[in-house]
Coordinates of all heavy atoms in Angstrom, one line a residue:
M269 N 0.8 -1.2 0.0 CA 0.0 0.0 0.0 C 0.9 1.2 0.0 O 1.9 1.3 0.6 CB -0.9 0.0 1.2 CG -2.0 -1.1 1.1 SD -3.1 -1.1 2.5 CE -2.2 -2.2 3.6
K270 N 0.5 2.3 -0.7 CA 1.3 3.5 -0.9 C 0.9 4.5 0.1 O -0.2 4.7 0.6 CB 1.0 4.1 -2.3 CG 1.4 3.2 -3.4 CD 1.1 3.9 -4.7 CE 1.4 3.1 -5.9 NZ 1.0 3.7 -7.2
R271 N 2.0 5.3 0.5 CA 1.8 6.5 1.4 C 1.4 7.6 0.4 O 1.9 7.7 -0.7 CB 3.0 6.8 2.1 CG 3.3 5.8 3.2 CD 4.6 6.2 4.0 NE 4.9 5.3 5.0 CZ 4.5 5.4 6.3 NH1 3.8 6.4 6.6 NH2 4.8 4.5 7.1
I272 N 0.6 8.5 0.9 CA 0.2 9.7 0.1 C 0.7 11.0 0.8 O 0.2 11.4 1.8 CB -1.4 9.7 0.1 CG1 -1.9 8.5 -0.6 CG2 -1.8 10.9 -0.7 CD1 -2.1 7.3 0.2
T273 N 1.7 11.6 0.2 CA 2.2 12.8 0.8 C 2.8 13.8 -0.2 O 2.9 15.0 0.1 CB 3.3 12.6 1.9 OG1 4.4 11.8 1.3 CG2 2.8 11.8 3.1
S274 N 3.2 13.3 -1.4 CA 4.0 14.2 -2.3 C 3.1 15.1 -3.1 O 2.2 14.7 -3.7 CB 4.8 13.3 -3.2 OG 5.7 12.5 -2.5
L275 N 3.5 16.4 -3.1 CA 2.8 17.4 -3.9 C 3.8 18.5 -4.1 O 4.8 18.7 -3.5 CB 1.5 17.8 -3.3 CG 1.4 18.0 -1.8 CD1 2.0 19.4 -1.4 CD2 0.0 18.0 -1.4
T276 N 3.4 19.4 -5.1 CA 4.2 20.6 -5.3 C 3.2 21.8 -5.4 O 2.0 21.6 -5.7 CB 4.9 20.5 -6.7 OG1 4.0 20.3 -7.7 CG2 6.0 19.4 -6.7
E277 N 3.7 22.9 -5.1 CA 2.9 24.2 -5.1 C 2.5 24.6 -6.5 O 3.3 24.4 -7.4 CB 3.8 25.3 -4.5 CG 3.0 26.2 -3.5 CD 3.9 27.1 -2.8 OE1 5.0 26.8 -2.5 OE2 3.4 28.2 -2.5
T278 N 1.3 25.1 -6.6 CA 0.8 25.5 -7.9 C 1.4 26.9 -8.3 O 1.2 27.3 -9.4 CB -0.7 25.6 -7.9 OG1 -1.1 26.6 -7.0 CG2 -1.4 24.3 -7.6
G279 N 2.0 27.6 -7.4 CA 2.4 29.0 -7.7 C 1.6 29.9 -6.9 O 1.9 31.1 -6.8
M280 N 0.5 29.5 -6.3 CA -0.3 30.4 -5.5 C 0.5 30.7 -4.2 O 1.2 29.8 -3.7 CB -1.6 29.7 -5.1 CG -2.6 29.5 -6.2 SD -4.1 28.8 -5.6 CE -4.7 30.1 -4.5
H281 N 0.4 31.9 -3.7 CA 1.1 32.2 -2.5 C 0.4 31.6 -1.3 O -0.8 31.7 -1.2 CB 1.1 33.7 -2.3 CG 1.8 34.2 -1.1 ND1 3.2 34.0 -0.9 CD2 1.3 34.8 0.0 CE1 3.5 34.5 0.3 NE2 2.4 34.9 0.9
V282 N 1.1 30.9 -0.5 CA 0.6 30.2 0.7 C 1.1 31.0 1.9 O 2.3 31.2 2.1 CB 1.0 28.8 0.8 CG1 0.4 28.1 2.1 CG2 0.5 28.0 -0.4
L283 N 0.2 31.5 2.7 CA 0.6 32.3 3.9 C 1.2 31.3 4.9 O 0.9 30.1 4.9 CB -0.7 32.9 4.5 CG -1.4 33.9 3.6 CD1 -2.7 34.4 4.3 CD2 -0.5 35.1 3.3
P284 N 2.1 31.9 5.8 CA 2.7 31.1 6.8 C 1.6 30.4 7.6 O 0.6 30.9 7.9 CB 3.5 32.1 7.7 CG 3.7 33.2 6.7 CD 2.5 33.3 5.8
S285 N 1.9 29.2 8.1 CA 1.0 28.3 8.8 C 0.6 29.0 10.1 O 1.4 29.5 10.9 CB 1.6 27.0 9.1 OG 0.6 26.2 9.8
T286 N -0.7 28.9 10.4 CA -1.2 29.3 11.7 C -1.7 28.1 12.5 O -2.4 28.2 13.4 CB -2.4 30.2 11.5 OG1 -3.4 29.5 10.7 CG2 -2.0 31.5 10.8
G287 N -1.1 26.9 12.1 CA -1.5 25.7 12.7 C -2.7 25.1 12.0 O -3.2 24.1 12.4
S288 N -3.2 25.7 10.9 CA -4.4 25.2 10.2 C -3.9 24.6 8.9 O -2.8 24.9 8.4 CB -5.4 26.2 10.0 OG -4.9 27.3 9.3
Y289 N -4.8 23.8 8.3 CA -4.4 23.2 7.0 C -5.2 23.9 5.9 O -6.3 24.5 6.1 CB -4.7 21.7 7.1 CG -4.0 21.0 8.1 CD1 -4.6 20.6 9.3 CD2 -2.6 20.8 8.0 CE1 -3.8 19.9 10.3 CE2 -1.8 20.2 9.0 CZ -2.5 19.8 10.1 OH -1.7 19.1 11.1
V290 N -4.7 23.7 4.7 CA -5.4 24.3 3.5 C -5.8 23.2 2.6 O -5.2 22.1 2.6 CB -4.5 25.3 2.7 CG1 -4.1 26.5 3.6 CG2 -3.2 24.6 2.3
P291 N -6.9 23.4 1.8 CA -7.3 22.3 0.9 C -6.2 22.0 -0.2 O -5.5 22.8 -0.6 CB -8.5 22.9 0.2 CG -9.0 24.0 1.1 CD -7.7 24.5 1.7
V292 N -6.2 20.7 -0.6 CA -5.2 20.3 -1.6 C -5.3 21.0 -2.9 O -4.4 21.0 -3.7 CB -5.3 18.7 -1.7 CG1 -6.4 18.3 -2.5 CG2 -4.0 18.2 -2.2
E293 N -6.5 21.5 -3.3 CA -6.6 22.2 -4.6 C -5.7 23.4 -4.7 O -5.5 23.9 -5.8 CB -8.1 22.5 -4.9 CG -8.7 23.5 -4.0 CD -9.6 22.8 -3.0 OE1 -9.7 21.6 -2.9 OE2 -10.3 23.5 -2.3
D294 N -5.1 23.9 -3.7 CA -4.1 24.9 -3.8 C -2.7 24.4 -4.3 O -1.8 25.2 -4.4 CB -3.9 25.6 -2.4 CG -5.1 26.4 -2.0 OD1 -6.0 26.6 -2.8 OD2 -5.1 26.8 -0.8
Y295 N -2.7 23.1 -4.5 CA -1.4 22.4 -4.9 C -1.7 21.5 -6.1 O -2.8 21.2 -6.4 CB -0.9 21.6 -3.8 CG -0.4 22.4 -2.6 CD1 -1.4 22.8 -1.6 CD2 0.9 22.8 -2.4 CE1 -1.0 23.6 -0.6 CE2 1.3 23.5 -1.3 CZ 0.3 23.9 -0.4 OH 0.7 24.7 0.7
F296 N -0.6 21.1 -6.8 CA -0.7 20.0 -7.7 C -0.1 18.7 -7.1 O 1.0 18.8 -6.5 CB 0.2 20.3 -9.0 CG -0.3 21.3 -9.9 CD1 0.4 22.4 -10.2 CD2 -1.6 21.1 -10.5 CE1 -0.1 23.4 -11.1 CE2 -2.1 22.1 -11.3 CZ -1.4 23.2 -11.6
L297 N -0.8 17.7 -7.1 CA -0.3 16.4 -6.6 C 0.8 15.9 -7.6 O 0.6 16.0 -8.8 CB -1.3 15.3 -6.5 CG -2.4 15.6 -5.4 CD1 -3.6 14.6 -5.6 CD2 -1.7 15.3 -4.1
V298 N 1.9 15.5 -7.1 CA 3.0 15.0 -8.0 C 2.5 13.8 -8.8 O 2.8 13.6 -9.9 CB 4.2 14.6 -7.1 CG1 5.3 13.9 -7.9 CG2 4.8 15.8 -6.5
D299 N 1.7 12.9 -8.1 CA 1.2 11.7 -8.8 C -0.4 11.8 -8.6 O -0.9 11.5 -7.6 CB 1.7 10.5 -8.1 CG 1.3 9.2 -8.8 OD1 0.3 9.2 -9.6 OD2 1.8 8.1 -8.4
E300 N -1.1 12.2 -9.7 CA -2.5 12.3 -9.7 C -3.2 11.0 -9.3 O -4.4 11.1 -8.8 CB -3.0 12.8 -11.0 CG -2.7 14.3 -11.3 CD -3.4 15.3 -10.3 OE1 -4.5 15.0 -9.9 OE2 -2.7 16.3 -10.0
S301 N -2.6 9.9 -9.5 CA -3.2 8.6 -9.1 C -3.4 8.5 -7.6 O -4.1 7.7 -7.1 CB -2.5 7.4 -9.6 OG -1.2 7.3 -8.9
L302 N -2.7 9.4 -6.8 CA -2.8 9.4 -5.4 C -3.8 10.4 -4.8 O -3.9 10.7 -3.6 CB -1.4 9.7 -4.8 CG -0.3 8.7 -5.1 CD1 1.0 9.1 -4.4 CD2 -0.7 7.3 -4.6
D303 N -4.7 10.9 -5.7 CA -5.7 11.8 -5.3 C -6.8 10.9 -4.7 O -7.4 10.1 -5.3 CB -6.3 12.6 -6.5 CG -7.3 13.6 -6.1 OD1 -7.7 13.7 -4.9 OD2 -7.6 14.5 -7.0
L304 N -7.0 11.1 -3.4 CA -7.9 10.3 -2.6 C -9.4 10.8 -2.6 O -10.3 10.0 -2.2 CB -7.4 10.2 -1.2 CG -6.0 9.7 -1.0 CD1 -5.7 9.6 0.5 CD2 -5.8 8.3 -1.6
R305 N -9.6 12.0 -3.0 CA -10.9 12.6 -3.0 C -11.9 11.7 -3.8 O -11.7 11.3 -4.9 CB -10.9 14.0 -3.5 CG -10.1 14.9 -2.6 CD -9.9 16.3 -3.2 NE -9.0 16.2 -4.3 CZ -8.6 17.2 -5.0 NH1 -9.0 18.4 -4.8 NH2 -7.7 17.0 -6.0
G306 N -13.0 11.4 -3.1 CA -14.1 10.6 -3.7 C -13.9 9.1 -3.6 O -14.8 8.3 -3.9
R307 N -12.7 8.6 -3.1 CA -12.5 7.2 -2.9 C -13.2 6.7 -1.7 O -13.4 7.4 -0.7 CB -11.0 6.9 -2.8 CG -10.3 7.2 -4.1 CD -8.9 6.6 -3.9 NE -8.0 7.1 -5.0 CZ -7.1 6.3 -5.6 NH1 -6.9 5.1 -5.1 NH2 -6.4 6.8 -6.6
F308 N -13.7 5.4 -1.8 CA -14.3 4.8 -0.6 C -13.3 4.4 0.4 O -12.2 4.0 0.1 CB -15.1 3.6 -1.1 CG -16.4 3.9 -1.8 CD1 -16.4 3.9 -3.2 CD2 -17.5 4.3 -1.1 CE1 -17.6 4.3 -3.9 CE2 -18.7 4.7 -1.8 CZ -18.7 4.7 -3.2
V309 N -13.7 4.5 1.7 CA -12.9 4.1 2.8 C -13.3 2.8 3.3 O -14.5 2.6 3.7 CB -13.0 5.2 3.9 CG1 -12.1 4.8 5.1 CG2 -12.5 6.5 3.4
L310 N -12.4 1.8 3.4 CA -12.7 0.5 3.9 C -12.7 0.5 5.4 O -11.8 1.0 6.1 CB -11.7 -0.5 3.4 CG -11.7 -0.9 2.0 CD1 -10.5 -1.8 1.7 CD2 -13.0 -1.5 1.5
G311 N -13.8 0.0 6.0 CA -14.0 0.0 7.4 C -13.4 -1.3 8.0 O -12.8 -2.1 7.2
D312 N -13.5 -1.5 9.3 CA -12.9 -2.7 9.9 C -13.5 -4.0 9.4 O -12.9 -5.0 9.3 CB -13.2 -2.6 11.5 CG -12.3 -1.6 12.1 OD1 -11.3 -1.2 11.5 OD2 -12.7 -1.1 13.2
G313 N -14.8 -3.9 9.0 CA -15.4 -5.1 8.4 C -15.1 -5.4 7.0 O -15.6 -6.3 6.4
G314 N -14.3 -4.5 6.4 CA -14.0 -4.7 5.0 C -14.9 -4.0 4.0 O -14.8 -4.2 2.8
H315 N -16.0 -3.4 4.5 CA -16.9 -2.7 3.6 C -16.7 -1.2 3.6 O -16.2 -0.7 4.6 CB -18.4 -3.1 4.0 CG -18.7 -2.6 5.4 ND1 -18.4 -3.3 6.5 CD2 -19.4 -1.5 5.8 CE1 -18.8 -2.6 7.6 NE2 -19.5 -1.6 7.2
A316 N -17.2 -0.6 2.6 CA -16.9 0.9 2.4 C -18.2 1.6 2.7 O -19.2 1.4 2.0 CB -16.4 1.2 1.0
D317 N -18.2 2.4 3.7 CA -19.4 3.2 4.0 C -19.2 4.7 4.0 O -20.1 5.5 4.2 CB -20.1 2.8 5.3 CG -19.1 2.8 6.5 OD1 -17.9 3.0 6.3 OD2 -19.5 2.6 7.6
L318 N -17.9 5.1 3.9 CA -17.5 6.5 3.9 C -16.7 6.8 2.6 O -16.1 5.9 2.0 CB -16.7 6.9 5.1 CG -17.4 6.8 6.5 CD1 -16.3 6.9 7.6 CD2 -18.4 7.8 6.6
T319 N -16.6 8.1 2.3 CA -15.6 8.5 1.2 C -14.7 9.5 1.7 O -15.0 10.2 2.8 CB -16.4 9.0 0.0 OG1 -17.2 10.1 0.4 CG2 -17.3 7.9 -0.7
V320 N -13.6 9.8 1.0 CA -12.7 10.9 1.3 C -13.3 12.1 0.7 O -13.4 12.2 -0.5 CB -11.3 10.6 0.8 CG1 -10.4 11.8 1.1 CG2 -10.7 9.3 1.4
K321 N -13.6 13.1 1.5 CA -14.2 14.4 1.0 C -13.1 15.3 0.6 O -13.2 16.0 -0.4 CB -15.0 15.0 2.2 CG -15.6 16.3 1.8 CD -16.4 16.9 3.0 CE -16.9 18.2 2.7 NZ -17.6 18.8 3.9
D322 N -11.9 15.4 1.3 CA -10.9 16.3 0.9 C -9.6 15.8 1.5 O -9.5 15.0 2.4 CB -11.2 17.7 1.5 CG -10.5 18.8 0.7 OD1 -9.7 18.5 -0.2 OD2 -10.8 20.0 1.0
M323 N -8.5 16.4 1.0 CA -7.1 16.1 1.4 C -6.6 17.5 1.9 O -6.8 18.5 1.2 CB -6.3 15.6 0.3 CG -6.7 14.3 -0.2 SD -6.0 13.8 -1.8 CE -4.3 13.6 -1.3
L324 N -6.0 17.6 3.1 CA -5.6 18.8 3.7 C -4.1 18.9 3.8 O -3.4 18.0 4.2 CB -6.3 19.0 5.0 CG -7.8 19.0 5.0 CD1 -8.3 18.9 6.4 CD2 -8.4 20.1 4.2
V325 N -3.5 20.1 3.4 CA -2.1 20.3 3.3 C -1.6 21.1 4.5 O -2.3 22.1 4.8 CB -1.8 21.0 2.0 CG1 -0.3 21.3 1.9 CG2 -2.2 20.1 0.8
D326 N -0.5 20.8 5.0 CA 0.2 21.6 6.0 C 1.1 22.6 5.1 O 2.0 22.2 4.5 CB 1.1 20.8 6.9 CG 2.0 21.6 7.8 OD1 2.0 22.9 7.7 OD2 2.6 21.0 8.7
P327 N 0.8 23.9 5.2 CA 1.5 24.8 4.3 C 3.0 25.0 4.7 O 3.8 25.4 3.8 CB 0.8 26.2 4.5 CG -0.3 26.0 5.5 CD -0.3 24.5 5.9
D328 N 3.4 24.7 5.9 CA 4.8 24.7 6.3 C 5.6 23.7 5.6 O 6.6 23.9 5.0 CB 4.9 24.6 7.8 CG 4.5 25.8 8.5 OD1 4.4 26.9 7.9 OD2 4.1 25.7 9.7
S329 N 5.1 22.4 5.6 CA 5.8 21.3 5.0 C 5.5 21.1 3.6 O 6.2 20.4 2.8 CB 5.6 20.0 5.8 OG 4.3 19.6 5.7
K330 N 4.4 21.7 3.1 CA 3.8 21.5 1.8 C 3.6 20.0 1.5 O 3.9 19.5 0.4 CB 4.7 22.1 0.7 CG 4.8 23.6 0.9 CD 5.5 24.3 -0.3 CE 5.5 25.8 -0.2 NZ 5.9 26.4 1.0
R331 N 3.0 19.3 2.5 CA 2.7 17.9 2.3 C 1.3 17.7 2.8 O 0.8 18.4 3.7 CB 3.6 17.0 3.2 CG 5.1 17.0 2.7 CD 5.9 15.9 3.3 NE 7.2 15.9 2.8 CZ 7.5 15.2 1.7 NH1 6.6 14.5 1.1 NH2 8.8 15.1 1.3
V332 N 0.6 16.7 2.2 CA -0.7 16.3 2.7 C -0.5 15.8 4.1 O 0.3 15.0 4.4 CB -1.3 15.2 1.8 CG1 -2.6 14.7 2.4 CG2 -1.5 15.7 0.4
A333 N -1.3 16.4 5.0 CA -1.2 16.1 6.4 C -2.4 15.3 7.0 O -2.3 14.5 7.9 CB -1.0 17.4 7.3
M334 N -3.6 15.6 6.4 CA -4.8 15.0 6.9 C -5.8 14.7 5.7 O -5.6 15.3 4.6 CB -5.5 15.9 7.9 CG -4.6 16.3 9.0 SD -5.6 17.1 10.3 CE -6.1 15.7 11.2
I335 N -6.7 13.8 6.0 CA -7.8 13.7 5.0 C -9.1 14.0 5.8 O -9.1 13.8 7.1 CB -7.9 12.2 4.4 CG1 -8.2 11.2 5.5 CG2 -6.8 11.9 3.5 CD1 -8.6 9.8 4.9
E336 N -10.1 14.5 5.1 CA -11.4 14.7 5.7 C -12.4 13.7 5.1 O -12.4 13.6 3.9 CB -11.9 16.1 5.4 CG -13.2 16.4 6.1 CD -13.6 17.9 6.0 OE1 -12.8 18.7 5.4 OE2 -14.7 18.2 6.4
L337 N -13.1 13.0 6.0 CA -14.0 12.0 5.5 C -15.4 12.6 5.3 O -15.7 13.7 5.8 CB -14.1 10.9 6.6 CG -12.8 10.1 6.9 CD1 -13.0 9.1 7.9 CD2 -12.2 9.5 5.6
S338 N -16.3 11.9 4.6 CA -17.6 12.3 4.3 C -18.4 12.6 5.6 O -19.4 13.3 5.5 CB -18.3 11.4 3.4 OG -18.3 10.1 3.9
D339 N -18.1 12.0 6.7 CA -18.8 12.2 8.0 C -18.2 13.4 8.7 O -18.6 13.7 9.9 CB -18.8 11.0 8.8 CG -17.5 10.6 9.4 OD1 -16.5 11.2 9.0 OD2 -17.4 9.5 10.1
G340 N -17.2 14.1 8.2 CA -16.6 15.3 8.8 C -15.4 15.0 9.6 O -14.7 16.0 10.0
R341 N -15.1 13.8 9.9 CA -13.9 13.5 10.7 C -12.6 13.8 9.9 O -12.6 13.6 8.7 CB -13.8 12.0 11.1 CG -14.8 11.7 12.2 CD -14.6 10.3 12.7 NE -15.1 9.4 11.6 CZ -14.6 8.2 11.4 NH1 -13.8 7.6 12.3 NH2 -15.1 7.4 10.4
R342 N -11.6 14.2 10.6 CA -10.3 14.4 10.0 C -9.3 13.4 10.6 O -9.2 13.3 11.8 CB -9.8 15.8 10.2 CG -10.6 16.8 9.4 CD -10.1 18.2 9.6 NE -10.8 19.1 8.7 CZ -10.5 20.4 8.6 NH1 -9.5 20.9 9.3 NH2 -11.2 21.2 7.7
L343 N -8.5 12.8 9.7 CA -7.6 11.8 10.2 C -6.2 12.1 9.6 O -6.0 12.5 8.5 CB -8.0 10.4 9.7 CG -9.4 9.9 10.1 CD1 -9.8 8.7 9.4 CD2 -9.4 9.7 11.6
P344 N -5.1 11.8 10.4 CA -3.7 12.1 10.0 C -3.4 11.2 8.8 O -3.7 10.0 8.8 CB -2.9 11.7 11.2 CG -3.8 11.6 12.3 CD -5.2 11.4 11.8
I345 N -2.7 11.7 7.9 CA -2.3 11.0 6.7 C -1.4 9.7 7.0 O -1.4 8.8 6.2 CB -1.6 11.9 5.6 CG1 -1.6 11.3 4.2 CG2 -0.2 12.3 6.1 CD1 -3.0 11.2 3.6
E346 N -0.7 9.8 8.1 CA 0.2 8.7 8.5 C -0.6 7.4 8.7 O -0.1 6.3 8.6 CB 0.9 9.0 9.8 CG 1.9 10.1 9.7 CD 1.3 11.5 9.8 OE1 0.2 11.6 10.3 OE2 2.0 12.4 9.4
H347 N -1.9 7.5 8.9 CA -2.8 6.3 9.1 C -3.5 5.9 7.8 O -4.3 4.9 7.9 CB -3.8 6.5 10.2 CG -3.2 6.8 11.5 ND1 -2.6 5.9 12.3 CD2 -3.0 8.0 12.2 CE1 -2.1 6.4 13.4 NE2 -2.3 7.7 13.3
V348 N -3.2 6.5 6.7 CA -3.9 6.3 5.5 C -3.1 5.5 4.5 O -1.9 5.8 4.3 CB -4.3 7.6 4.8 CG1 -5.0 7.4 3.5 CG2 -5.2 8.4 5.8
R349 N -3.7 4.4 4.0 CA -3.0 3.6 3.0 C -3.9 3.3 1.8 O -5.1 3.2 2.0 CB -2.5 2.2 3.5 CG -1.6 2.4 4.7 CD -0.2 2.9 4.3 NE 0.7 2.9 5.4 CZ 0.9 4.0 6.2 NH1 0.2 5.1 6.0 NH2 1.8 4.0 7.2
L350 N -3.4 3.2 0.6 CA -4.2 2.8 -0.5 C -4.2 1.3 -0.6 O -3.2 0.6 -0.4 CB -3.6 3.3 -1.8 CG -3.9 4.7 -2.2 CD1 -3.2 5.1 -3.5 CD2 -5.4 4.9 -2.4
Q351 N -5.4 0.7 -0.9 CA -5.5 -0.7 -1.1 C -6.3 -0.9 -2.3 O -7.6 -0.8 -2.3 CB -6.2 -1.4 0.1 CG -6.3 -2.9 0.0 CD -6.8 -3.5 1.3 OE1 -6.7 -2.9 2.4 NE2 -7.3 -4.7 1.1
G352 N -5.6 -1.0 -3.4 CA -6.3 -1.0 -4.7 C -6.9 0.4 -5.0 O -6.2 1.3 -4.9
S353 N -8.2 0.4 -5.3 CA -8.8 1.7 -5.5 C -9.5 2.3 -4.2 O -10.1 3.3 -4.2 CB -9.9 1.6 -6.6 OG -10.9 0.7 -6.2
Y354 N -9.3 1.6 -3.1 CA -9.9 1.9 -1.8 C -8.8 2.6 -0.9 O -7.6 2.4 -1.1 CB -10.5 0.7 -1.1 CG -11.6 0.1 -1.8 CD1 -11.5 -0.9 -2.7 CD2 -12.9 0.6 -1.6 CE1 -12.5 -1.5 -3.4 CE2 -14.0 0.1 -2.3 CZ -13.8 -0.9 -3.2 OH -14.9 -1.5 -3.8
V355 N -9.3 3.3 0.1 CA -8.5 3.8 1.2 C -8.7 3.0 2.4 O -9.9 2.7 2.7 CB -8.9 5.3 1.4 CG1 -8.2 5.8 2.7 CG2 -8.6 6.2 0.2
R356 N -7.7 2.6 3.1 CA -7.7 1.9 4.3 C -7.1 2.7 5.4 O -6.1 3.3 5.2 CB -7.1 0.5 4.3 CG -7.1 -0.2 5.6 CD -6.7 -1.6 5.5 NE -7.6 -2.5 4.7 CZ -8.8 -3.0 5.1 NH1 -9.3 -2.6 6.2 NH2 -9.4 -3.8 4.3
I357 N -7.8 2.8 6.6 CA -7.3 3.5 7.7 C -6.6 2.5 8.7 O -7.3 1.6 9.1 CB -8.4 4.3 8.4 CG1 -9.2 5.2 7.5 CG2 -7.9 5.1 9.6 CD1 -8.4 6.2 6.8
E358 N -5.4 2.8 9.0 CA -4.7 1.9 9.9 C -4.5 2.7 11.2 O -4.2 3.9 11.2 CB -3.3 1.5 9.4 CG -3.3 0.7 8.1 CD -2.0 0.4 7.6 OE1 -1.0 1.1 8.0 OE2 -1.9 -0.5 6.7
S359 N -4.6 2.0 12.3 CA -4.4 2.7 13.6 C -3.0 2.5 14.1 O -2.2 1.8 13.6 CB -5.4 2.2 14.6 OG -5.5 0.8 14.7

């Protein structure tokens, strides 16, 4: 399973971080196949009941730091893995 963190700035000016994250659309993903938005999230039972709503970037590191799920929860990217076309959350 792949880690999802690599991106480059689009040229838009990003203000210094205030501890908050910015939406990924302010950046270009280095590998578009790692765009998680809209993908189903596999739960513990192996079924998908949520989707990835957005990917959030830490402007200081210019890396994807979190994902936002369709239920509004935000999870650190360190716990996110790709499994085929699905997203799996590891604890």
Side-chain angles (χ1 to χ4, degrees):
M269 290 182 270
K270 297 181 183 178
R271 290 182 181 265
I272 297 80
T273 57
S274 298
L275 40 80
T276 56
E277 220 171 327
T278 63
M280 290 183 65
H281 179 67
V282 178
L283 297 175
S285 178
T286 59
S288 59
Y289 300 108
V290 297
V292 76
E293 61 259 8
D294 291 348
Y295 295 82
F296 287 122
L297 290 166
V298 172
D299 183 350
E300 289 294 327
S301 71
L302 299 179
D303 189 347
L304 304 180
R305 294 172 290 181
R307 292 190 191 217
F308 286 101
V309 178
L310 292 176
D312 291 334
H315 62 281
D317 54 351
L318 295 170
T319 59
V320 176
K321 180 179 174 184
D322 205 354
M323 298 167 64
L324 303 169
V325 175
D326 176 351
D328 288 337
S329 68
K330 295 187 175 57
R331 293 193 176 273
V332 174
M334 304 191 90
I335 61 167
E336 184 175 355
L337 301 179
S338 55
D339 66 359
R341 287 184 293 155
R342 290 182 173 183
L343 302 170
I345 199 69
E346 292 82 16
H347 298 284
V348 176
R349 301 290 182 270
L350 276 178
Q351 184 173 339
S353 63
Y354 294 93
V355 171
R356 178 168 295 282
I357 306 301
E358 297 178 344
S359 48

